[in-house]
Amino acid sequence: MSTYAWTIRVPGRQDVQRVTTLDELREYLRVMDLPGMAPPEFTTFDAEVHDHGIYTHNEGSQDEWSLTWTKVDGEPESIEQ
């Protein structure tokens, strides 16, 4: 199973930085109650996960938040729900 270093940034909140599996990242996204929550594509669709990337929700508004991730080990994996 692959491990990812990731950061969730939300204005007015302390950044959340962790190194976890995708399942643990999904759980953080679920419980954080982010504004206008529209999870990043890799958390909702069956697809190969990119080794790194950034997702920004509502760029430029008061509901903006972002997620950055980088794969730190393991093989490419497909998301299963």
Side-chain angles (χ1 to χ4, degrees):
M1 181 171 286
S2 296
T3 304
Y4 293 82
W6 52 265
T7 302
I8 298 172
R9 289 186 174 89
V10 180
R13 296 189 195 181
Q14 187 172 2
D15 291 353
V16 178
Q17 298 178 323
R18 300 283 189 273
V19 177
T20 67
T21 65
L22 285 176
D23 287 340
E24 292 167 309
L25 170 54
R26 283 189 200 100
E27 184 63 14
Y28 269 93
L29 288 169
R30 188 185 68 76
V31 299
M32 285 190 70
D33 191 30
L34 297 170
M37 181 61 178
E41 181 177 306
F42 75 77
T43 67
T44 58
F45 299 111
D46 292 333
E48 185 176 302
V49 177
H50 297 286
D51 287 348
H52 61 276
I54 186 165
Y55 172 86
T56 302
H57 174 80
N58 263 349
E59 189 171 357
S61 80
Q62 65 182 2
D63 290 339
E64 181 177 329
W65 61 272
S66 67
L67 166 65
T68 4
W69 70 93
T70 301
K71 186 175 177 179
V72 291
D73 73 359
E75 296 296 319
E77 58 185 78
S78 294
I79 304 301
E80 294 180 21
Q81 295 199 10

